[in-house]
Amino acid sequence: MKCGIVGLPNVGKSTLFNCLSNAKAQSANFPFCTIDPNVGVITVPDERLVRLGELCKPERGVIPTTVEIVDIAGLVKGASRGEGLGNKFLANIRETDAIIHVLRCFDDDNVVHVDGSVDPIRDKEVIETELQLKDLETIEQRIQKTEKQAKAGGDKQAKLALEVMQRYRQALSEGKNARTVSLDNKDEEAAARDLFLLTNKPVMYVCNVDEASAVSGNAYVEQVREAVKNEDAQVLVLAAKTEAEIAELETYEERQMFLEAAGLQESGCNRLIKTAYALLNLRTFLTAGSDEVRAWTFRQGWKAPQCAGVIHTDFEKGFIRAEVIKYEDYIALGGEAACRAAGKLGVEGKDYLVQDGDIMHFLFNV
């Protein structure tokens, strides 16, 4: 799964990416310093793995799950028409599953703003307008093609897709994002997915603030919260410059001392990764034993056989049943054997909806 970091030039995208990833994107005080998208595979922080590792002491260690983060170069007004390096960057956004939209919410005369002043709402609207214009272009092209199919052959699917596209065209023409359009059923949702619209992707707004505002935010952050209150979107506050300083510290103890001194319980990068993971509708099930403790990614709403297939396709094909222990029971009782003895191990079939944090063992036969 892949999240793309977007925003205007010089809002802190590459600084944030550098905090998140061992890859070092060039970070400089001028536009377009990130020409090619930088990709980092980011470990998803999960305190449950630490506890399980301490309990199981696995030979091969603890293996967390990951999410991919892409640093996409700064967009500017006119990107949808190819201004700046627009077409290339819009194509990079299209390949992501979710958008992390970084907004500059700090004043600093030493950091140039591409539009000459700090205004996160204006910046947000510039980016969204370019994405909407590109989506509108996509919709217009698809409507022309689909209208012919719907008229010529009386194709029911083409007619349904056309209706969905016309609703999107209406919303985009009014300056609204595609994600604001309500769909009535799974057929309409399937038609929408085939369009790959940029403004239909889930979005998280990251307010990049100064160190003094890292805990409580500031007036710029409140403006952003007010502007997006009717959107199905997350708002996260962090100080990218401070996070960069934390990332350079060598030990966990040093990082914790820094966080405590700044009044923070957890780093902004950790919070961002967790929120991005949830934004993609992802959850984690766990496997635990003396060989390894491991986190596995699944989509909310998946059943046991689908989750078995995450480990190996044969597990899904030959699925018989799943043995499930709740994480809280596993920790409280001290392991699988104690849970089994206490009747806390459940045996589940093909219709079991897997829950976040389930510790699972699959039985299969191929």
Side-chain angles (χ1 to χ4, degrees):
M1 297 298 162
K2 187 184 293 186
C3 292
I5 301 178
V6 304
L8 290 177
N10 283 11
V11 297
K13 298 183 312 302
S14 295
T15 301
L16 179 60
F17 178 82
N18 288 345
C19 300
L20 292 168
S21 172
N22 289 328
K24 292 296 178 184
Q26 182 188 2
S27 180
N29 185 19
F30 57 87
F32 305 125
C33 66
T34 309
I35 306 262
D36 293 312
N38 291 272
V39 180
V41 178
I42 313 299
T43 296
V44 178
D46 194 333
E47 294 79 6
R48 296 172 301 194
L49 290 175
V50 178
R51 298 287 305 279
L52 289 171
E54 292 170 349
L55 192 61
C56 297
K57 296 180 174 54
E59 290 181 14
R60 293 203 297 268
V62 175
I63 305 171
T65 190
T66 60
V67 66
E68 208 168 89
I69 305 285
V70 185
D71 179 25
I72 298 170
L75 290 170
V76 295
K77 190 178 291 186
S80 59
R81 302 188 304 276
E83 294 292 328
L85 299 171
N87 286 331
K88 185 176 182 181
F89 300 157
L90 288 166
N92 291 332
I93 295 171
R94 198 177 298 282
E95 294 171 1
T96 65
D97 300 296
I99 294 172
I100 299 170
H101 188 161
V102 181
L103 297 168
R104 177 172 169 177
C105 294
F106 66 89
D107 294 305
D108 187 340
D109 293 338
N110 295 318
V111 180
V112 178
H113 191 290
V114 69
D115 286 329
S117 63
V118 178
D119 185 342
I121 306 307
R122 176 201 60 208
D123 295 354
K124 171 183 176 292
E125 290 172 352
V126 167
I127 297 290
E128 287 189 341
T129 297
E130 297 308 319
L131 300 183
Q132 289 165 6
L133 288 170
K134 198 66 181 177
D135 279 350
L136 194 55
E137 179 185 308
T138 299
I139 287 290
E140 295 290 3
Q141 291 172 350
R142 292 289 295 271
I143 282 178
Q144 288 181 11
K145 180 180 178 181
T146 309
E147 276 181 333
K148 294 176 182 176
Q149 293 175 334
K151 290 177 182 176
D155 188 329
K156 288 184 179 180
Q157 283 190 320
K159 287 181 178 178
L160 175 68
L162 187 60
E163 289 174 8
V164 171
M165 284 187 271
Q166 287 168 339
R167 283 154 66 185
Y168 278 133
R169 178 168 64 181
Q170 179 67 30
L172 291 164
S173 299
E174 294 172 358
K176 298 176 183 176
N177 292 317
R179 73 180 72 90
T180 63
V181 175
S182 297
L183 300 175
D184 299 328
N185 53 55
K186 290 183 177 180
D187 290 335
E188 290 186 351
E189 290 171 4
R193 280 195 297 273
D194 289 343
L195 297 170
F196 300 103
L197 297 179
L198 301 173
T199 63
N200 220 4
K201 297 178 184 293
V203 64
M204 180 201 325
Y205 296 102
V206 174
C207 296
N208 183 15
V209 300
D210 56 88
E211 184 175 351
S213 305
V215 176
S216 56
N218 56 29
Y220 292 130
V221 174
E222 292 310 310
Q223 290 173 19
V224 174
R225 286 186 172 134
E226 179 63 24
V228 306
K229 66 182 181 182
N230 294 323
E231 292 187 36
D232 184 17
Q234 300 277 349
V235 176
L236 189 75
V237 179
L238 59 75
K241 188 176 179 182
T242 303
E243 294 292 327
E245 293 172 0
I246 294 171
E248 289 176 2
L249 297 174
E250 291 185 5
T251 68
Y252 173 81
E253 289 74 18
E254 286 178 315
R255 291 192 290 272
Q256 286 304 112
M257 287 176 62
F258 192 113
L259 286 169
E260 288 173 12
L264 298 167
Q265 294 182 334
E266 185 178 27
S267 78
C269 285
N270 274 12
R271 288 186 288 116
L272 187 149
I273 297 166
K274 290 177 180 178
T275 306
Y277 193 71
L279 189 69
L280 290 166
N281 210 24
L282 302 179
R283 300 293 182 268
T284 302
F285 73 87
L286 308 160
T287 52
S290 58
D291 53 346
E292 71 174 24
V293 168
R294 184 162 182 166
W296 304 86
T297 298
F298 72 99
R299 283 200 180 277
Q300 185 174 10
W302 278 15
K303 295 182 179 180
Q306 291 173 286
C307 289
V310 173
I311 298 177
H312 197 287
T313 53
D314 284 350
F315 284 26
E316 182 174 7
K317 290 176 185 175
F319 179 88
I320 299 172
R321 64 181 181 273
E323 295 180 342
V324 183
I325 303 173
K326 297 302 177 184
Y327 167 79
E328 293 78 10
D329 292 332
Y330 197 100
I331 295 298
L333 295 173
E336 181 180 328
C339 288
R340 214 178 265 275
K344 294 294 185 181
L345 184 148
V347 177
E348 306 291 351
K350 293 182 177 181
D351 291 329
Y352 176 69
L353 284 172
V354 178
Q355 304 299 306
D356 184 64
D358 279 353
I359 297 174
M360 306 193 73
H361 176 68
F362 298 103
L363 286 84
F364 71 102
N365 183 28
V366 176

